C-alpha cells in the first residue's frame, strides 16, 4: 500500500502543472529585450538607477541581493559599535563603581531611540519636506510608525536596497549618536534625566540635522539635492553624529558640573582591558558605519573601506607616538584614543577622499584631538569625563573641514554632478566654505538645543544624582547591581 501511494504521488508531481512554470508563464517572454535585461544587470552590478521607463519595467522587482546583504551586515556592524563596542570602551574608562551605569545607559538609549525611530524619527529625518523651494529643515510624517516602509527599494536612498533595511541602517546611527554624549557626563547624571534628555535631544537636534544633511531635500545635502542652499558633504556622520554629540556633550557637562573630587583625587580607568576590547569592536564595526554609507557593495564602499583603515591605523600610531615624545611612554589608552579619533575624523570624508587624503587625515587626527585632550582640557578645567568633546567634537569639526579640503573627483564621481562648481581638486576649493557653513549650523543647533533641553530636564527631574549616591557609585543606587563581586574586585 505504501508503494502505491508513493507511485501515485510521483505521477501527480510529474503531470501536474508546475507552480514555478505557471509563475514564469505569467510574464510574457517578449516583454523585455535581451538588451533591456542586460541594462538591468549592469545597473545592479554598478549600483545604477533602475530603468525609469514604466512600459518596460524591470523584471528585478525587489532589492538586489548582494547590495541588500551588505547593508544588513553593515546595520549589524553599526549596532555592534554601540552594543558592545562603545559600552565596553566607556565602561572600562570609568571607575569600577560606575561600570554598570554606563552599560545601562547604552542599553537604555538603544531601546529608547528604536521606539522614537519607529514612531516619528525615520519619517522626520528622511521623508521629503515637500516644500516649494526644494529644500527643508525637517521631513513630513508620512512614514510615521514606518508606514509604507517595506522591502521594496526607495529610489531616493538606494535603487537596490530594501527601504526597511535602509531605515534600520540609519536607525543604528541614531542609536550610537546620543550614546556618545554619555562619555562626557559619566558617573554623575541621573538615569531618568538621561532618558528624558535624550528623548528631547533626538527630536530637537538629531532628527532635524540628519534631515538637513542626508534627507533627499535637505538644506545641506550637497550631493543629493541640487537646490540645497548649503552645498556641504558628509559621507557618514562628521556633522550629524560626531559634531552634534561632541558639542552637546561639552555643553551638558558644563551645566552638570564636575564630578566630586575632580582635580583633587585620581580617577583612573578601572579596566583598560575592557577599553581595548571596546576599541577593537568600534574599529571593526566602523566599517559598517563608513563603507556601509555607500548604500551598496560598490566601488565607493570599497574606497571608504580603504580610507577608513588608513586613517584609523595612522591616527592610532601618531597619537601614541606623540605621547611617547611628550610624556615618555606610549600608553594603551593613547593607542585606543588615537584609533577612535582617526575613525571620527575620517568619517565625513571616507567616501570622498583618496588614499593620500586618508593618511593626511590620520596624521591630523592623531595630533589635534590629542592636544585638545591633553592641553585644552587642562587649560579650561572642564570635566569631560571620557574625552567626548576632545575626540568627537574637535575630531568631527576637523573632519568636516578636511573633507572640504581633500574631497577629490577621482574618489567619488558623484562629486561631479551637483558639486561640479565646488570640487576643483584643490585644498582651498569652494567646497571648504560650504563646509564651514555646515559647521556653523551644526554648532548653533547642538549648543542652543542642548542648553534649552538641559534646563528643561533640570527643572522637571533634576540632572544630577545626590552627593551620597555619587560617592557610593551609580551602579547600586541607580540599578541595584554591582559590576564585580567583592572577591573579584579590579
Amino acid at each position: 500500500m505504501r508503494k502505491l501511494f508513493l507511485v501515485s504521488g510521483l505521477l501527480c508531481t510529474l503531470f501536474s502543472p508546475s507552480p514555478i512554470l505557471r509563475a514564469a508563464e505569467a510574464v510574457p517572454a517578449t516583454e523585455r529585450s535581451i538588451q533591456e535585461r542586460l541594462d538591468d544587470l549592469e545597473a545592479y552590478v554598478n549600483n545604477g538607477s533602475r530603468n525609469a521607463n514604466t512600459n518596460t519595467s524591470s523584471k528585478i522587482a525587489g532589492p538586489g541581493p548582494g547590495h541588500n546583504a551588505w547593508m544588513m551586515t553593515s546595520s549589524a556592524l553599526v549596532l555592534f559599535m554601540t552594543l558592545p563596542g562603545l559600552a565596553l570602551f566607556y565602561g572600562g574608562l570609568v571607575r569600577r563603581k560606575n561600570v554598570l551605569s554606563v552599560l545601562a545607559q547604552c542599553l537604555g538609549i538603544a531601546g529608547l531611540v528604536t521606539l522614537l525611530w519607529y514612531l516619528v524619527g525615520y519619517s522626520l529625518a528622511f521623508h521629503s519636506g515637500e516644500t516649494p523651494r526644494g529644500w527643508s529643515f525637517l521631513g513630513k510624517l508620512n512614514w510615521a510608525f514606518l508606514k509604507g516602509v517595506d522591502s521594496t527599494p526607495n529610489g531616493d536612498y538606494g535603487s537596490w536596497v530594501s527601504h526597511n533595511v535602509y531605515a534600520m541602517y540609519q536607525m543604528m546611527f541614531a542609536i550610537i549618536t546620543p550614546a556618545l554624549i554619555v562619555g562626557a557626563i559619566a558617573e554623575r547624571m541621573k538615569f531618568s534625566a538621561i532618558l528624558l534628555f535624550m528623548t528631547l535631544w533626538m527630536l530637537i537636534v538629531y532628527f532635524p540635522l540628519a534631515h538637513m544633511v542626508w534627507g533627499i531635500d535637505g538644506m545641506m545635502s550637497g550631493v543629493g539635492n541640487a537646490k540645497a542652499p548649503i552645498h556641504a558633504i558628509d559621507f557618514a556622520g562628521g556633522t550629524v553624529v560626531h559634531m552634534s554629540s561632541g558639542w552637546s556633550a561639552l555643553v551638558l557637562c558644563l551645566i552638570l558640573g564636575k564630578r566630586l573630587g575632580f582635580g583633587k583625587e585620581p580617577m583612573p580607568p578601572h579596566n583598560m582591558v575592557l577599553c581595548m576590547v571596546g576599541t577593537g569592536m568600534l574599529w571593526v564595526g566602523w566599517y559598517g558605519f563608513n563603507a556601509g554609507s555607500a548604500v551598496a557593495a560598490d566601488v565607493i564602499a570599497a574606497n571608504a573601506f580603504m580610507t577608513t583603515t588608513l586613517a584609523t591605523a595612522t591616527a592610532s600610531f601618531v597619537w601614541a607616538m606623540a605621547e611617547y615624545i611628550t610624556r615618555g611612554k606610549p600608553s594603551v589608552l593613547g593607542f585606543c584614543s588615537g584609533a577612535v579619533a582617526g575613525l571620527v575624523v575620517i568619517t565625513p570624508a571616507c567616501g570622498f577622499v583618496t588614499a593620500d587624503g586618508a593618511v593626511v587625515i590620520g596624521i591630523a587626527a592623531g595630533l589635534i584631538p590629542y592636544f585638545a585632550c591633553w592641553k585644552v582640557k587642562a587649560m579650561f578645567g572642564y570635566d569631560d569625563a571620557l574625552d567626548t568633546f576632545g575626540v568627537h567634537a574637535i575630531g568631527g569639526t576637523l573632519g568636516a573641514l578636511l573633507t572640504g579640503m581633500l574631497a577629490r573627483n577621482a574618489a567619488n564621481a558623484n562629486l561631479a554632478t551637483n558639486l561640479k562648481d565646488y570640487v576643483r581638486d584643490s585644498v582651498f576649493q569652494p567646497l571648504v566654505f560650504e563646509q564651514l557653513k555646515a559647521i556653523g549650523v551644526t554648532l548653533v543647533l547642538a549648543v542652543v538645543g542642548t542648553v534649552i533641553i538641559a534646563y528643561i530636564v533640570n527643572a522637571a527631574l533634576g540632572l544630577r544624582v545626590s552627593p551620597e549616591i555619587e560617592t557610593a557609585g551609580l551602579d547600586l543606587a541607580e540599578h541595584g547591581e554591582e559590576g564585580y563581586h567583592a572577591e573579584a574586585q579590579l
Side-chain angles (χ1 to χ4, degrees):
M1 183 63 69
R2 182 180 299 175
K3 291 181 179 179
L4 180 61
F5 282 127
L6 288 174
V7 171
S8 300
L10 180 60
L11 290 173
C12 289
T13 302
L14 288 174
F15 293 104
S16 295
S18 169
I20 297 175
L21 290 176
R22 286 202 303 271
E25 290 166 0
V27 180
T30 58
E31 182 179 340
R32 286 174 61 76
S33 68
I34 295 297
Q35 184 58 50
E36 288 169 333
R37 294 185 184 187
L38 286 173
D39 290 344
D40 272 348
L41 180 60
E42 287 184 356
Y44 166 62
V45 171
N46 295 319
N47 190 32
S49 298
R50 292 171 180 266
N51 193 330
N53 187 347
T54 55
N55 294 324
T56 57
S57 59
S58 173
K59 283 196 171 201
I60 308 173
H67 298 313
N68 229 30
W70 169 237
M71 291 310 299
M72 286 187 279
T73 301
S74 294
S75 300
L77 285 170
V78 180
L79 180 60
F80 185 69
M81 290 170 62
T82 306
L83 304 169
L86 186 70
L88 292 179
F89 178 73
Y90 278 172
L93 291 175
V94 297
R95 289 169 288 181
R96 64 175 301 275
K97 63 184 179 180
N98 295 313
V99 59
L100 290 184
S101 70
V102 171
L103 306 188
Q105 288 158 17
C106 289
L107 284 164
I109 288 170
L112 171 68
V113 171
T114 296
L115 290 172
L116 291 173
W117 196 248
Y118 159 73
L119 292 171
V120 297
Y122 180 64
S123 192
L124 291 174
F126 287 95
H127 195 283
S128 169
E130 297 179 355
T131 60
R133 60 179 177 261
W135 57 270
S136 58
F137 299 101
L138 201 60
K140 298 181 72 175
L141 288 173
N142 299 41
W143 291 337
F145 300 95
L146 296 183
K147 180 181 179 181
V149 181
D150 57 21
S151 297
T152 304
N154 181 316
D156 287 342
Y157 297 109
S159 297
W160 300 99
V161 173
S162 292
H163 193 189
N164 50 17
V165 170
Y166 182 77
M168 292 300 98
Y169 176 69
Q170 288 294 344
M171 185 181 78
M172 305 313 176
F173 279 66
I175 286 172
I176 195 171
T177 304
L180 295 172
I181 298 174
V182 166
I185 50 85
E187 303 191 304
R188 60 201 190 274
M189 189 166 174
K190 292 179 180 178
F191 185 72
S192 58
I194 287 175
L195 294 181
L196 179 57
F197 176 89
M198 296 307 177
T199 299
L200 297 175
W201 190 85
M202 293 299 292
L203 293 168
I204 294 172
V205 178
Y206 186 84
F207 296 153
L209 189 58
H211 179 79
M212 286 188 277
V213 175
W214 291 330
I216 189 62
D217 64 344
M219 66 165 286
M220 297 192 293
S221 180
V223 174
N225 184 14
K227 296 181 179 180
I230 298 178
H231 289 79
I233 58 176
D234 184 352
F235 193 79
T239 50
V240 180
V241 176
H242 300 294
M243 276 195 67
S244 67
S245 62
W247 286 97
S248 294
L250 175 66
V251 172
L252 185 57
C253 84
L254 291 174
I255 293 173
L256 194 61
K258 301 175 184 179
R259 287 169 290 177
L260 296 176
F262 178 76
K264 300 176 182 178
E265 60 184 65
M267 299 180 180
H270 90 280
N271 193 328
M272 277 306 304
V273 174
L274 290 184
C275 177
M276 167 56 198
V277 171
T279 301
M281 291 176 172
L282 283 169
W283 189 337
V284 171
W286 221 288
Y287 289 111
F289 201 78
N290 283 4
S293 290
V295 197
D298 62 4
V299 293
I300 296 174
N303 186 72
F305 191 99
M306 174 191 68
T307 56
T308 298
T309 304
L310 291 172
T312 306
T314 300
S316 179
F317 183 75
V318 168
W319 185 304
M321 293 306 103
E323 279 189 335
Y324 211 166
I325 294 169
T326 57
R327 299 182 177 182
K329 294 179 181 178
S331 68
V332 171
L333 180 57
F335 281 110
C336 292
S337 299
V340 175
L343 291 164
V344 168
V345 181
I346 192 61
T347 286
C350 60
F352 299 121
V353 300
T354 63
D356 290 340
V359 172
V360 171
I361 285 173
I363 294 170
L367 294 176
I368 295 175
Y370 168 66
F371 180 79
C373 294
W374 177 38
K375 288 294 186 182
V376 175
K377 182 178 178 180
M379 188 184 306
F380 291 97
Y382 54 86
D383 185 10
D384 174 13
L386 309 181
D387 289 322
T388 300
F389 172 73
V391 173
H392 295 276
I394 298 298
T397 307
L398 176 64
L401 181 60
L402 290 177
T403 300
M405 294 180 172
L406 299 172
R408 296 293 180 263
N409 288 290
N412 192 323
N414 293 318
L415 294 172
T417 53
N418 295 335
L419 295 171
K420 61 181 182 297
D421 296 328
Y422 297 89
V423 180
R424 299 175 181 172
D425 294 343
S426 62
V427 174
F428 295 108
Q429 55 196 354
L431 181 62
V432 174
F433 302 101
E434 300 302 303
Q435 295 297 101
L436 288 172
K437 294 176 188 176
I439 288 170
V441 171
T442 304
L443 272 172
V444 171
L445 182 59
V447 171
V448 174
T450 300
V451 169
I452 294 171
I453 296 165
Y455 282 106
I456 290 173
V457 175
N458 191 45
L461 300 175
L463 287 171
R464 190 161 180 159
V465 298
S466 67
E468 294 77 16
I469 290 176
E470 187 174 343
T471 300
L474 276 62
D475 288 0
L476 273 173
E478 291 269 284
H479 306 288
E481 301 169 300
E482 288 185 285
Y484 308 102
H485 296 295
E487 63 271 16
Q489 290 186 7
L490 299 177

